[in-house]
Amino acid sequence: MYYNNDTIVFSDGQWLKASEAKGSLYSQTLHYGSGIFEGIRSYDANGEVSVFKAKEHYERFLYSAEKMHIKCDYSVEELTALTYELLDKNNLKDAYVRPLLYLGENMTLHTVDTVHLLLCAWEWGKYLGDSLLNVMVSSYERPNPKAVPVEAKVTGHYTNSILATTEAKAKGFDEALLLDRNGSVAEGSGANFFFEKEGILYTPPLGNILPGITRLTAMDIAEEMGIEVREEYFPPEAVKGADGAFFTGTAAEIAGIGFLDGSPFRLQWEETIGFRIAKAYQKLVRKPHSNKKLSESKWN
Ligand code: PMP
């Protein structure tokens, strides 16, 4: 599903067949979760491939690397150029791009100087599907921001997300909504959260969440529509019985929520602000953007 015999990846400065690229079983990342990554989408914008918010994603990539003391020898511009080359080499337009920095062989808990970069891409439908989601409040909390940099996209953080989604699926739900250590709503396993009440959108502030790029895009769209967005802490009880709710994420895009812990939202999804934002988002991502490939790259 992620690759076939023709798929090309960028691995440690080389364009290789995915089926022939290699990684070490002694990578510190594999054992201890100390890698960083991004999740980016590209779209077919009038026949041209457009990587949505490439700059923002690669800025966060470098931020995550810095937080984890992982060296990255590539700039935002170089990573963006490589992404366009990757898509071109794989004949992809509507795609999901996964850049990953993983560490070299080391079984100690000291940081490692050898860093590997992998860039790969594949076609991926809407991550949470198209139907309204049946969501449960998770028994797992988001990681304590004093224990790990929750605002960075670190591979090891996703053990928390996997536990939450596994619990939700086992109980017959589609997705989990995780609280922070104070009992306020934080975010989904791989998406940020918004709810709507009397024409106002509410979303948790930064601090216990990944600062989602789609979250900011949804806030920009809301602002353009003249809709107020409040960044506030709120308990899950404030969400139940509200007018509507949705998740935002690069993979999930804008995904409407039907129920929280079995409790439905007051409005039909089509009547919500979330629905309007979802429509505007689909238009926006297919607009050609200005982060075009650099004309020359030393990896050509
Ligand atoms: N929270 C978490 C935990 C995530 O993994 C993601 C996906 N990257 C998001 C939020 C949404 O972030 P973005 O909109 O930048 O994809």
Side-chain angles (χ1 to χ4, degrees):
M1 173 198 168
Y2 300 108
Y3 65 94
N4 60 32
N5 243 346
D6 300 323
T7 306
I8 302 291
V9 298
F10 185 76
S11 175
D12 285 341
Q14 286 180 291
W15 296 105
L16 299 173
K17 277 193 163 199
S19 54
E20 288 165 13
K22 287 200 175 76
S24 168
L25 294 177
Y26 294 86
S27 156
Q28 196 185 46
T29 304
L30 185 61
H31 292 253
Y32 305 131
S34 53
I36 65 100
F37 69 105
E38 263 308 316
I40 308 176
R41 267 194 195 276
S42 65
Y43 292 90
D44 183 342
N46 279 336
E48 285 270 308
V49 61
S50 174
V51 179
F52 188 62
K53 304 258 175 183
K55 184 166 176 282
E56 287 81 350
H57 280 284
Y58 282 122
E59 280 173 358
R60 189 170 67 186
F61 190 69
L62 297 186
Y63 174 85
S64 300
E66 194 189 317
K67 279 279 148 177
M68 292 304 291
H69 314 287
I70 296 174
K71 269 193 312 152
C72 182
D73 292 334
Y74 300 84
S75 67
V76 167
E77 292 73 25
E78 288 167 338
L79 290 162
T80 304
L82 286 167
T83 301
Y84 277 102
E85 284 176 45
L86 175 77
L87 293 164
D88 189 45
K89 285 186 194 298
N90 287 289
N91 284 320
L92 288 167
K93 284 202 175 90
D94 280 306
Y96 183 80
V97 180
R98 167 55 51 81
L100 169 73
L101 281 180
Y102 66 98
L103 294 170
E105 300 184 350
N106 192 321
M107 293 296 100
T108 77
L109 298 177
H110 302 290
T111 50
V112 185
D113 280 342
T114 323
V115 179
H116 302 278
L117 171 69
L118 171 73
L119 291 178
C120 54
W122 60 88
E123 274 176 16
W124 221 18
K126 213 170 169 234
Y127 179 64
L128 295 171
D130 278 321
S131 340
L132 288 188
L133 299 165
N134 186 12
V135 174
M136 70 171 276
V137 175
S138 182
S139 71
Y140 294 97
E141 286 177 1
R142 287 303 288 167
N144 182 337
K146 286 190 173 162
V148 285
V150 283
E151 77 287 6
K153 214 164 156 59
V154 178
T155 56
H157 293 0
Y158 285 79
T159 52
N160 171 255
S161 301
I162 290 173
L163 287 168
T165 50
T166 306
E167 176 190 51
K169 292 272 180 209
K171 294 194 167 165
F173 293 90
D174 300 312
E175 224 332 8
L177 180 64
L178 289 85
L179 308 184
D180 65 23
R181 71 220 135 109
N182 301 314
S184 296
V185 169
E187 61 184 331
S189 61
N192 293 113
F193 178 81
F194 288 77
F195 81 95
E196 162 184 348
K197 199 163 189 177
E198 289 160 11
I200 296 172
L201 286 177
Y202 297 84
T203 194
L206 302 186
N208 295 291
I209 60 172
L210 187 82
I213 290 160
T214 322
R215 173 184 179 272
L216 268 191
T217 308
M219 287 164 81
D220 287 346
I221 295 173
E223 192 184 334
E224 264 179 40
M225 289 175 166
I227 292 155
E228 187 183 345
V229 184
R230 294 190 188 162
E231 294 179 76
E232 284 179 7
Y233 291 107
F234 48 84
E237 294 71 40
V239 178
K240 291 177 193 167
D243 294 338
F246 56 92
F247 282 125
T248 63
T250 300
E253 300 181 315
I254 312 283
I257 299 174
F259 302 87
L260 182 63
D261 279 349
S263 162
F265 291 98
R266 231 177 43 79
L267 299 179
Q268 293 291 314
W269 171 238
E270 291 71 19
E271 297 166 358
T272 63
I273 298 169
F275 178 77
R276 284 165 57 202
I277 292 180
K279 284 205 125 175
Y281 185 80
Q282 287 304 327
K283 255 181 128 170
L284 180 67
V285 293
R286 287 184 176 76
K287 256 197 205 158
H289 287 274
S290 53
N291 57 33
K292 282 293 143 198
K293 61 191 123 183
L294 302 179
S295 51
E296 265 188 40
S297 146
K298 58 182 166 177
W299 296 280
N300 255 329

